[in-house]
Amino acid sequence: MDIDTFPVLETARLVLRKVIKDDASSIFKYLSNEEVMKYYGLEPFKSINDALDEISWYQSIHNDRTGIRWGITLKEQGVVIGSCGFHNIVSKHFRSEIGFELSQELWGKGIAAEAVEAIINYGFQHMNFHRIEALIEPQNRSSQKLVEKFGFIKEGLLRDYEFTQGKFDDLYMYSLLKRDFDKNHKC
């Protein structure tokens, strides 16, 4: 992964781009929403500094080559309405975890699916991934349906896998292999 150039991805309706400090207010807007943060593993953001910390994390995982996070924008607007990307990249094993979230007022419009499909394609074609994983809380049916749409397979339940917000959470482990994605999505 070349950290000097940040890839910009375009779909029919979206531009996925690097998140910058100027995006902090739009990130704060949707990450302060309890429903958006329900399965995020963090408390809803309380200040613009929380959003700036999130942006710093995006930059640090990119610099460390352990992840990449794109801001999701509608082509005609350019305002960040969500984010998606990869984290916990393990290059020697050709795998990564995927993550995504979207502003609540845009749920149900296919935007998250459009963004996720674009980054899955990018991950397999340009980042040399063989396996992409998704760790999803059992109650988060909408995210489960989204990844299942692209052929992710539920491999099992990771019991008390994460400690967030003062409690242990179970997570389903989903995976998508490049060969399965290629078979179902001729790129």
Side-chain angles (χ1 to χ4, degrees):
M1 179 168 52
D2 180 5
I3 64 167
D4 297 326
T5 41
F6 194 97
V8 174
L9 309 179
E10 285 194 40
T11 68
R13 299 180 292 171
L14 308 174
V15 174
L16 307 181
R17 62 162 174 85
K18 182 177 186 172
V19 176
I20 57 174
K21 286 183 180 176
D22 290 349
D23 298 314
S25 61
S26 57
I27 289 172
F28 174 70
K29 182 181 173 190
Y30 66 82
L31 290 182
S32 61
N33 180 308
E34 281 189 33
E35 285 302 305
V36 172
M37 297 300 278
K38 195 172 192 174
Y39 304 113
Y40 199 76
L42 296 173
E43 293 286 335
F45 286 10
K46 304 277 189 252
S47 74
I48 203 79
N49 285 332
D50 293 335
L52 289 168
D53 288 345
E54 187 79 355
I55 293 167
S56 292
W57 178 68
Y58 297 166
Q59 187 61 51
S60 71
I61 63 172
H62 189 242
N63 290 344
D64 296 342
R65 292 180 165 82
T66 59
I68 185 170
R69 195 79 174 193
W70 285 272
I72 302 170
T73 68
L74 295 170
K75 277 186 176 175
E76 67 276 6
Q77 295 176 1
V79 175
V80 174
I81 55 169
S83 78
C84 59
F86 300 110
H87 56 279
N88 295 331
I89 293 174
V90 184
S91 297
K92 73 178 187 175
H93 296 300
F94 303 91
R95 76 170 182 252
S96 180
E97 292 176 33
I98 194 170
F100 48 88
E101 86 285 327
L102 188 65
S103 184
Q104 186 176 12
E105 60 266 15
L106 295 163
W107 290 359
K109 299 179 186 319
I111 292 170
E114 194 171 320
V116 166
E117 183 173 27
I119 67 168
I120 290 171
N121 274 315
Y122 189 83
F124 285 138
Q125 299 210 356
H126 300 282
M127 298 181 76
N128 206 24
F129 294 150
H130 173 75
R131 174 186 168 96
I132 297 174
E133 300 171 343
L135 298 173
I136 303 173
E137 289 184 33
Q139 302 84 354
N140 189 350
R141 281 299 303 145
S142 59
S143 289
Q144 291 172 47
K145 283 187 215 172
L146 192 150
V147 300
E148 288 167 357
K149 172 181 179 169
F150 295 110
F152 279 75
I153 303 295
K154 186 190 302 180
E155 295 182 330
L157 180 69
L158 304 171
R159 300 180 311 139
D160 286 356
Y161 189 75
E162 242 177 21
F163 186 78
T164 59
Q165 298 177 319
K167 66 181 178 16
F168 288 98
D169 292 318
D170 293 343
L171 295 173
Y172 283 134
M173 168 64 82
Y174 280 85
S175 74
L176 178 64
L177 302 182
K178 182 179 188 316
R179 66 178 173 258
D180 297 332
F181 185 74
D182 288 347
K183 187 173 25 177
N184 296 319
H185 294 85
K186 299 298 179 206
C187 304

